[in-house]
Amino acid sequence: MFKKKPTASEVDGVQYRRAKTWQIICYACNALVGMSVYSLIGMASYSASIGYGITTAAVGIILTCTRILDGITDPLLAFVYDRVNTKFGKLRILLIAGYLIEALALYGMFTGFSSKGLGLVAFTLLYVVYVIGYTITNMTAQTIPAIMTNDPRQRPTLGVWTTAFNYLVPMVMSMVLNVVLLPKCGGTYNQAFLTAACNITLIVAAIGTLLVCLGVSAFDKPENFVGTKKAEPLKMADIVEVLKHNKPLQCYIASNASDKLAQQVGSQAIINTILGGIIIGNIALGTILTVISMVPSIFFAAFGAKYVGKHGSKKGIVNFTCISMVITAVMIVFFLVIDPKQIGVMGSPAMIIYVILSLLQNGSNMCITTSNTSYMADAIDFELDRSGRYIPAVVSGTYSLVDKLITSFAAVIATGAVALLGYTATMPQPTDPCTPAIFWMAMVLKFGLPIIGWIITLIAMRSCPLSKEEMVNVQKRIAEKKAAAQSEFYKEQLQ
């Protein structure tokens, strides 16, 4: 007779909370907000140049400075997060408010005020408002996984759905924008294209916001935001204290910030234009090939979740990072030994090999992302165990502050590198000729930087104490402390 597999609660001796599958899927729809906007904001350099007449070098500086501002506003949101308590909840109010601010700024930046003769000041102010809205939306979303479930088997499942949506949404957006919309607008980035891209993005993001609110409604209650000791108003010193004493968070900052810097440099629209349009020579086909290689690799995330559920978030990050390094190194060698233009020829051996390597690369990267989602929730619970305070916005905000101070240089690295190639007053277009300098710049930014980031990850994770076994102990201690705190509360009520 078939024997039912014991649950994580039965195995670990901890009463874990769990979310329903539909709630997890709705939460993952946050990608409709974050990744659609991410696809649009990647074209901010084009908007600045076309709509506001700002030079390439100035664009890089503006995007870098506003990114630093973005990092500063993240931990400050923790104070807002801590104080928002309404009859409609905390999470939903913040998610909707963040979207509305973000949407107004993006509409003004790409459509409302673009190509109206306004200059640097107008673009910068709109970008600052966008940063504020993005901060509210993104930081609130980062706190949700830890609130929805603490089951070590289910937490990676959130990562699977999140990873799948985080990859699918930009893929679909890329297809819609580069394969469908761009040719209709003359094949170049112009004001008509930017306006249409903005309108599509805002509609997709609005749908995503509503779905996330639906998914978190059952958890958006005051009792889910309490710690194991009496809550006190947050102070700036709390952020410093968390950063100083939360060792898993320190490791995560070093690991993920370096990876994200490389990812954001490589995902800039100008870098993708160079790789797909100039080096491969067929930006539409290049986009299609990326999608073809991405869709099957999403199934890798499910494997990654099972692995993380069994071996823990830390081990998942380390092992899948090693795999990604090897595959990316092979990708560099591949570009060196073949004529990259052959990748743009439908059905060629070069195209097939490129798709296979991209599939493996995307798959291993998805497993890392799945591990990271689970790890951040673990770091939040580690802080609850360590300090007795449930402060998810402080933990995620502290991470985001340092992360964005580092990744703020993504835009300036990309635009600076392109400026070194001679693009000082204009941006790269798919029809430009390929030179050795352009080729090597693309190889370094697209593949070299990620390898450096992964080396930093492996070094950082060596000193991380958050193994699977330790996380079980963390959850046991939290449960015991909460039970003791509740017992003390009842005693005070009876006296």
Side-chain angles (χ1 to χ4, degrees), residues 212-254:
V212 176
C213 289
L214 176 64
V216 303
S217 59
F219 306 94
D220 199 5
K221 300 174 181 177
E223 58 265 30
N224 289 328
F225 299 92
V226 297
T228 60
K229 66 180 186 180
K230 187 177 180 180
E232 297 176 1
L234 286 176
K235 305 180 291 293
M236 283 300 297
D238 293 326
I239 296 173
V240 177
E241 202 268 343
V242 167
L243 182 59
K244 186 176 179 181
H245 296 290
N246 192 316
K247 183 67 175 178
L249 180 61
Q250 294 170 3
C251 297
Y252 185 72
I253 288 171

Side-chain angles (χ1 to χ4, degrees), residues 31 38 104 106 114 123 132 144 149-150 174 194-195 199 243 246 254 265 270 273 297 329 353 386 453 465 479:
Y38 182 75
L104 287 172
L106 289 172
S114 187
F123 178 83
I132 294 171
I144 294 174
T149 177
N150 65 346
S174 181
L194 295 175
T195 296
N199 293 338
L243 182 59
N246 192 316
V265 170
I270 50 178
T273 298
S297 61
I353 294 172
R386 186 192 71 82

Side-chain angles (χ1 to χ4, degrees), residues 33 145 160 178 314 349 365 460 465-466:
V33 187
V160 172
N178 291 326
K314 174 188 171 181
N365 289 348
L466 214 56

